[in-house]
Amino acid sequence: MIVGIGSDLCNIDRIQASLDRFGERFIDRVFTAAERAKAEKRPFTRAGTYAKRFAAKEAFSKAVGTGFRQGVFMSDIGVVNLPSGAPTLALTGGAMARLDAITPPGHAIDIHLTMTDDHPFAQAFVILFARSIPERPKL
């Protein structure tokens, strides 16, 4: 069952302006080490790479219903790739606590993420899907 849906549209030029104005301070406050490494390998699409990840963080905060309140911080939400290459989110701190709080008993949450960019916009969608965990047989 779907327990949350979020989307965000981000202006790549706005992210570039933040990178130009605040530099490392902005990057350190918002992005994880893995996200930084990915973006810094892409000098020609650096701002777009950051913008997609920024949009993913915003979309997740909407999917859990808090925005960036109640202990949910951008730095606790990181875009990573599954072995298949599909993007998903790695959560820590308040973001993980909020996801745990909305997870129905007996379920686990699968995070589905899609991102795209076409200058000047980057977009992300997050779907939180609660999957039933089969009970273990009692011995």
Side-chain angles (χ1 to χ4, degrees), residues 50-93:
Y50 278 128
K52 284 189 286 189
R53 282 147 183 80
F54 191 95
K57 295 166 188 281
E58 290 274 0
F60 173 81
S61 76
K62 294 170 184 176
V64 295
T66 61
F68 294 106
R69 299 183 320 271
Q70 299 179 19
V72 176
F73 299 106
M74 283 195 166
S75 58
D76 292 336
I77 306 163
V79 176
V80 296
N81 294 90
L82 297 172
S84 67
T88 190
L89 297 174
L91 307 174
T92 59

Side-chain angles (χ1 to χ4, degrees), residues 9-121:
L9 183 66
C10 180
N11 187 299
I12 296 170
D13 293 332
R14 184 172 68 96
I15 296 300
Q16 183 63 61
S18 293
L19 291 167
D20 294 342
R21 183 170 181 198
F22 302 109
E24 293 297 312
R25 205 170 83 209
F26 171 67
I27 294 169
D28 289 342
R29 191 182 88 238
V30 176
F31 300 100
T32 66
E35 291 171 318
R36 289 181 69 153
K38 173 108 33 188
E40 297 305 324
K41 286 186 211 174
R42 299 175 172 176
F44 298 110
T45 59
R46 180 177 178 247
T49 300
Y50 278 128
K52 284 189 286 189
R53 282 147 183 80
F54 191 95
K57 295 166 188 281
E58 290 274 0
F60 173 81
S61 76
K62 294 170 184 176
V64 295
T66 61
F68 294 106
R69 299 183 320 271
Q70 299 179 19
V72 176
F73 299 106
M74 283 195 166
S75 58
D76 292 336
I77 306 163
V79 176
V80 296
N81 294 90
L82 297 172
S84 67
T88 190
L89 297 174
L91 307 174
T92 59
M96 183 57 137
R98 178 60 185 159
L99 186 66
D100 289 343
I102 66 169
T103 301
H107 289 76
I109 298 286
D110 294 327
I111 300 171
H112 299 277
L113 168 64
T114 186
M115 302 180 297
T116 190
D117 66 298
D118 187 9
H119 196 273
F121 297 109

